[in-house]
Amino acid sequence: MNSLILEAKNIYKSFKKATHVVNVLVNMSLQINKGDFTAVVGPSGSGKSTLLHILGGLDKPDSGEVLFEGKNIFSSNGFIDKFRNENVGFIFQFHYLLNDFNALENVMFPALIKDGNKNRAKMSAEYLLEKVGLKDRMNHYPSELSGGEQQRVAIARALINEPHILLADEPTGNLDRANSDSIFEIFQKLNEDGLTILVVTHDSYLAGMTKNKFNLSKD
Ligand SMILES: Nc1ncnc2c1ncn2[C@@H]1O[C@H](COP(=O)(O)OP(=O)(O)OP(=O)(O)O)[C@@H](O)[C@H]1O
Ligand SMILES: [Mg+2]
């Protein structure tokens, strides 16, 4: 049975630049069910990143609603903070790891911010880094890791607070075929374990491996 986890309803989003207005999302609706693995595809500039930011509560629509388990995520500041910290994991095209901290510390951060329990954060971070194949790289700094390894650290970091949904924007954008495939294998395993995933990708081969596709066309 399908059960709705995240829903965008009649979203409008435009950006103003001087006198020019770009209507990026026009009456856009999208439903994501628990356990979905969805690729968001569409040409450059069609609003994929804008959509992901709105779904993850990082940006507000001009009008329309985003419902998480039936509740409007923008209904209060308290709810939006909780939603962002506890329900969503974000992976960006550029991983934004902190360069002065090693892989383990980077992964631990969101957990420390959430509840300050250092032992638990360390244990979860070690478990996740092992899961993404970086058991022997935990003490490496981002500059000492390959692009694919850095992106896997970012995946572990996105998972540490056990999100209900993973939003990923071009997670393989800078990677070669082999690394892209290994990131997608990780996504597939996570999805098989029950994680709901929405991923923006230009890679039609990878988009073909997801269960559903959502096409954002340019007007
Ligand atoms: N902060 C902003 N101010 C003004 N315009 C913006 C802003 N953010 C995005 N845009 C415009 O909105 C449109 C959609 O941008 P968005 O980044 O969502 O596209 P995208 O589908 O992710 O593209 P790409 O595949 O190149 O990453 C673009 O035309 C972009 O120029
Ligand atoms: Mg984008």
Side-chain angles (χ1 to χ4, degrees):
M1 208 189 67
N2 287 340
S3 77
L4 215 53
I5 179 165
L6 193 64
E7 183 177 19
K9 269 173 126 172
N10 309 109
I11 300 287
Y12 286 80
K13 180 71 181 177
S14 58
F15 293 106
K16 264 201 198 93
K17 204 77 185 158
T19 56
H20 185 62
V21 178
V22 190
N23 294 309
V24 182
L25 301 174
V26 179
N27 200 15
M28 202 259 359
S29 296
L30 166 67
Q31 295 191 326
I32 302 162
N33 287 313
K34 280 201 177 99
D36 276 358
F37 185 9
T38 305
V40 177
V41 296
S44 183
S46 59
K48 304 181 297 297
S49 296
T50 305
L51 170 63
L52 227 63
H53 291 160
I54 289 174
L55 287 174
L58 300 174
D59 200 1
K60 265 192 164 175
D62 301 332
S63 66
E65 288 184 329
V66 176
L67 305 173
F68 176 74
E69 294 179 339
K71 190 160 190 267
N72 185 350
I73 62 167
F74 298 109
S75 57
S76 73
N77 285 341
F79 190 74
I80 188 78
D81 288 345
K82 195 171 148 53
F83 171 70
R84 273 200 302 244
N85 292 335
E86 296 180 14
N87 300 124
V88 192
F90 245 105
I91 298 168
F92 301 95
Q93 177 169 1
F94 304 100
H95 50 72
Y96 301 115
L97 298 176
L98 301 169
N99 287 319
D100 294 337
F101 295 89
N102 67 27
L104 185 68
E105 291 161 341
N106 266 282
V107 177
M108 284 169 66
F109 267 123
L112 289 177
I113 291 165
K114 186 179 166 191
D115 67 12
N117 186 328
K118 204 170 168 185
N119 277 341
R120 194 159 63 221
K122 188 161 180 277
M123 270 169 54
S124 309
E126 284 171 350
Y127 169 79
L128 286 166
L129 281 165
E130 197 170 332
K131 202 163 162 179
V132 297
L134 293 177
K135 190 176 171 13
D136 54 358
R137 295 283 189 282
M138 295 194 194
N139 298 317
H140 283 56
Y141 287 84
S143 62
E144 300 166 341
L145 296 167
S146 75
E149 289 167 346
Q150 291 171 12
Q151 197 57 283
R152 281 186 274 156
V153 175
I155 293 173
R157 181 184 55 182
L159 296 174
I160 193 151
N161 283 341
E162 300 183 336
H164 297 258
I165 180 159
L166 185 68
L167 302 174
D169 194 353
E170 298 280 1
T172 62
N174 296 312
L175 305 179
D176 63 15
R177 179 82 272 148
N179 272 295
S180 299
D181 288 353
S182 92
I183 298 284
F184 252 64
E185 269 169 35
I186 294 170
F187 279 16
Q188 277 182 319
K189 280 204 195 99
L190 290 166
N191 179 247
E192 281 162 20
D193 290 344
L195 184 66
T196 308
I197 303 177
L198 193 74
V199 58
V200 170
T201 183
H202 274 120
D203 188 328
S204 51
Y205 173 73
L206 295 180
M209 287 162 66
T210 62
K211 293 178 188 163
N212 318 298
K213 250 183 279 304
F214 183 76
N215 213 317
L216 268 179
S217 52
K218 229 171 161 182
D219 45 30

